[in-house]
Amino acid sequence: MLQVPFLRENKERVLNGLRKRNWKEEDLQIIDRILELDSSRRKLLQEVEQLQARLKQLSGEIGALYKQGKREEAEASKAEVSSLKEQMKTPEEQLKKVKAELEQLLLEVPNVPNDLVPFGKSEDDNEIYKAWPDELPELGENALPHWELAKVYQLFDLELGTKLTGAGFPVYLGQGARLERALINYFLDRAHRAGYLEVSPPLLVNADTARATGQLPDKEGQMYFVERDGFYLIPTAEVPVTNIYRGAILEEEDFPIKLTGYTPCFRREAGSYGAHVRGLNRVHQFDKVEIVRIEHPDRSYAALDEMLEHVSSLLDELELPYRIVRLCGGDLGFTSALTYDFEVYSAAQKRWLEVSSVSNFETYQSNRLQLRFKDGKKKRLAHTLNGSALALARIVAALLENNQTENGIELPKVLHSYTGFERIEKP
RNA sequence: GGUGAGGUGGGUGAGUGGCUUAAACCGCCGGUUUGCUAAACCGGUGUCUCGGGAAACCGGGACCGCGGGUUCGAAUCCCGCCCUCACCGCCA
């Protein structure tokens, strides 16, 4: 959520940001409406508080008068109090209304994109930030997509998941399950070595938590909800992990804060269909190791670069062909100021699969989180960032497809000590 | 799920309607004293928000788990909710 004073002082910048996000000109009026509401909120607040101050003073006097036995004077003051209260009613109600509407509208304004964010409408307009250098890997004629490989090698079973739960809940089996576990451990170990503190958070969160990182109200339909207890299943570890610092007031020397966590992620993905969602390409439950950083505003973009380096090094070690794209205004997440996606090339499907998304939210999340640090005497909002390092299901898909041979599926060297086998063979 | 006890500032904790501008102690910051450290003593020490000011700061309001209510006046009384702890039940 943006701060009103920021909005007031940077109106043009905010408007241009919304234009970059392809907002229609008539929808930009929301900003003027917000500023209007805020100015009447301040006016009403002053009015109400002046009356309150007078009330407070009077009731103190009444107490004193009673003590002195001056009953009649006390009664007279009481009459004044009740007329003051009558006067307060209207502005109080207006204030309540204005505040509610203001709050509502503020939730509808997304983050201001960084200057680096390109203009564009959809993922087709994303800018290639780092391209795969050589020609893309080619597989032979009889190369199989990962969902076929899964059958041949008995690595995961989607029909079985449908029996247990429903579509999009894969059951990993045998070497597939071990590969899954190996990748999680490998990613966590690498994050640990890069200085991230490992946390293992709850998988269900309350509404306050979901709101603070911006999933509510924007992505309400995307999350599974446990009605009976009012809990949401997390769509990413970002939610519980970032919320660890909700309400915190940090010292400058606390930076950088680097956290990592493995969790399953649950996404309803309503409305998805077609060939692009076959196999592991898009599922309702997948495993992911997330990295989260809380940074000094001056250092957050350097931190973002470090995170890109970290994710790149993982993909290098996994020997997967990948590219990095900078999301355009139309594809940029609601809460993000700048996002880089990592896409791995799936040679059998001949398409790029998104496996990581690394973003700087600047103060957008920390405003809702009320996550601040002491800058001298003042308190300032910190910057929050996060990125997948990495999301499992699609990595598994790419590993299986790209490394298939006559004699089985060869695994990258870095995983051997984690899996306990170097090659997936027919059972 | 049942019963009981609780929820007060960074911490412990006092406070049953106005003398609370939330005591006291601890912690923290600054100072005095001091070879250093410590002790002792003195002063300061929350959050949010509105207004004024270049700023230091000054003034108003709110905040004692959350939301309502009673009252001229609520940390204190009443109602609802949430949470914590203890015991019982169930249980990996």
Side-chain angles (χ1 to χ4, degrees):
Chain A
M1 195 159 60
L2 297 175
Q3 298 177 100
V4 177
F6 173 85
L7 228 57
R8 207 182 316 155
E9 284 153 34
N10 302 276
K11 188 175 151 187
E12 272 316 304
R13 227 185 107 195
V14 173
L15 289 176
N16 285 329
L18 293 178
R19 288 188 186 107
K20 205 178 237 182
R21 287 181 183 270
N22 307 303
W23 279 43
K24 292 185 206 130
E25 280 304 313
E26 65 258 33
D27 292 336
L28 298 181
Q29 287 169 8
I30 188 174
I31 301 300
D32 279 325
R33 180 71 188 138
I34 286 173
L35 295 178
E36 247 172 60
L37 282 168
D38 181 59
S39 102
S40 58
R41 178 189 68 90
R42 295 194 333 249
K43 215 179 273 164
L44 287 164
L45 189 65
Q46 264 179 279
E47 196 179 327
V48 168
E49 286 186 349
Q50 259 170 29
L51 291 168
Q52 269 176 347
R54 178 73 186 137
L55 271 178
K56 222 173 128 173
Q57 190 198 348
L58 277 174
S59 45
E61 285 170 14
I62 291 170
L65 288 171
Y66 269 121
K67 223 151 277 167
Q68 294 164 31
K70 298 180 181 168
R71 287 203 55 154
E72 276 178 29
E73 286 176 49
E75 292 302 323
S77 290
K78 274 196 194 179
E80 190 181 341
V81 166
S82 54
S83 98
L84 278 176
K85 281 189 138 180
E86 212 41 52
Q87 277 180 55
M88 263 170 85
K89 266 187 191 159
T90 315
E92 258 181 342
E93 269 166 39
Q94 281 175 347
L95 183 62
K96 226 176 183 175
K97 256 199 216 153
V98 163
K99 276 168 94 169
E101 196 188 340
L102 182 62
E103 185 72 17
Q104 187 56 42
L105 291 184
L106 278 172
L107 287 174
E108 290 171 25
V109 180
N111 203 352
V112 179
N114 184 287
D115 285 341
L116 291 171
V117 172
F119 281 89
K121 289 209 160 32
S122 74
E123 57 185 314
D124 302 327
D125 304 314
N126 291 340
E127 183 181 302
I128 307 290
Y129 173 68
K130 184 189 163 191
W132 177 251
D134 304 308
E135 278 175 37
L136 290 168
E138 296 247 11
L139 295 171
E141 281 291 300
N142 42 9
L144 298 173
H146 66 274
W147 53 87
E148 298 292 344
L149 291 167
K151 284 188 183 142
V152 175
Y153 295 96
Q154 294 181 23
L155 299 173
F156 61 88
D157 189 330
L158 290 165
E159 285 78 18
L160 187 54
T162 306
K163 172 182 164 185
L164 301 181
T165 307
F169 290 89
V171 180
Y172 295 90
L173 301 160
Q175 289 173 300
R178 292 173 71 191
L179 175 60
E180 192 77 2
R181 181 159 54 87
L183 283 164
I184 292 166
N185 283 331
Y186 161 61
F187 293 145
L188 282 174
D189 282 353
R190 288 285 271 96
H192 171 76
R193 265 161 48 200
Y196 291 85
L197 178 76
E198 183 172 338
V199 295
S200 181
L203 307 181
L204 286 85
V205 295
N206 59 33
D208 284 344
T209 297
R211 197 173 298 117
T213 32
Q215 278 69 28
L216 287 180
D218 184 49
K219 293 208 168 67
E220 179 149 27
Q222 181 70 264
M223 289 189 287
Y224 289 97
F225 180 55
V226 181
E227 195 154 350
R228 194 168 167 153
D229 298 288
F231 295 153
Y232 294 85
L233 272 76
I234 58 170
T236 158
E238 161 198 345
V239 179
V241 172
T242 311
N243 267 278
I244 290 173
Y245 282 91
R246 170 149 51 96
I249 297 174
L250 302 166
E251 303 290 339
E252 270 198 49
E253 58 265 30
D254 294 332
F255 295 122
I257 290 170
K258 301 166 74 176
L259 303 166
T260 186
Y262 152 71
T263 68
C265 301
F266 305 93
R267 298 189 184 179
R268 297 185 61 238
E269 308 284 3
S272 306
Y273 61 90
H276 280 193
V277 303
R278 281 199 75 176
L280 297 179
N281 287 346
R282 188 177 292 174
V283 283
H284 292 308
Q285 179 181 331
F286 62 95
D287 294 306
K288 178 159 65 62
V289 172
E290 185 80 357
I291 50 177
V292 169
R293 296 181 67 140
I294 295 163
E295 291 284 346
H296 189 284
D298 297 344
R299 290 254 327 134
S300 70
Y301 279 94
L304 185 67
D305 288 340
E306 264 181 48
M307 293 164 80
L308 292 182
E309 277 304 306
H310 179 75
V311 176
S312 296
S313 72
L314 296 175
L315 290 169
D316 288 337
E317 288 181 10
L318 290 174
E319 301 163 31
L320 288 169
Y322 68 95
R323 64 181 189 186
I324 307 177
V325 302
R326 192 185 265 153
L327 296 195
C328 73
D331 206 20
L332 188 66
F334 192 82
T335 53
S336 175
L338 180 61
T339 296
Y340 293 94
D341 273 6
F342 283 74
E343 298 178 339
V344 160
Y345 189 69
S346 150
Q349 299 181 65
K350 294 191 170 38
R351 51 184 283 244
W352 295 94
L353 298 177
E354 182 193 330
V355 293
S356 175
S357 194
V358 183
S359 307
N360 189 349
F361 303 93
E362 297 187 357
T363 60
Y364 196 88
Q365 283 186 330
S366 56
N367 188 30
R368 279 201 220 176
L369 287 158
Q370 281 306 297
L371 165 50
R372 289 161 301 164
F373 70 98
K374 287 187 192 158
D375 186 16
K377 279 200 167 176
K378 295 255 192 273
K379 286 169 200 74
R380 282 174 68 192
L381 295 172
H383 281 194
T384 63
L385 305 93
N386 67 53
S388 356
L390 282 162
L392 275 265
R394 292 177 191 161
I395 287 285
V396 169
L399 281 174
L400 299 181
E401 292 178 5
N402 293 14
N403 298 320
Q404 54 186 304
T405 70
E406 294 289 309
N407 307 316
I409 298 165
E410 303 284 350
L411 294 178
K413 210 183 270 159
V414 71
L415 290 180
H416 294 174
S417 63
Y418 286 97
T419 50
F421 49 87
E422 300 180 7
R423 181 187 308 119
I424 295 172
E425 289 169 358
K426 285 181 194 168

